[in-house]
Amino acid sequence: MNATTLIRLPRARLVRAACFALAALFAPAIVSAQRALTGTVTNAATGRALEGARVTLEGTARETLTDAQGNFRFDDVAAG
């Protein structure tokens, strides 16, 4: 090994450690921002999707309508 190689090794480790630390620091914020509740509303008798059905999150004032395929989505839902 020459002197240049010896200088680069600690810097590479430092960069890797810094990247790992940043990823660990921001991971909870990234994960929590991605929580979503999704589902599909169908007719129990026919199994067909229900368009325009109102879906409400129990205990909140949040509500949405299903799309043409019966799908709905709530973003930023707390766990539990």
Side-chain angles (χ1 to χ4, degrees):
M1 287 190 186
N2 60 34
T4 306
T5 304
L6 292 175
I7 293 171
R8 287 185 185 162
L9 288 176
R11 182 178 288 167
R13 286 187 189 142
L14 179 62
V15 169
R16 269 187 257 140
C19 289
F20 179 76
L22 286 173
L25 179 67
F26 290 110
I30 293 168
V31 170
S32 68
Q34 295 176 350
R35 288 188 181 150
L37 175 66
T38 61
T40 305
V41 179
T42 58
N43 182 307
T46 66
R48 294 184 59 193
L50 292 177
E51 179 180 6
R54 183 179 312 270
V55 181
T56 304
L57 281 178
E58 188 173 309
T60 73
R62 295 178 63 184
E63 57 185 35
T64 189
L65 299 176
T66 58
D67 63 14
Q69 292 77 38
N71 300 316
F72 66 90
R73 178 183 180 99
F74 289 100
D75 290 318
D76 298 323
V77 177

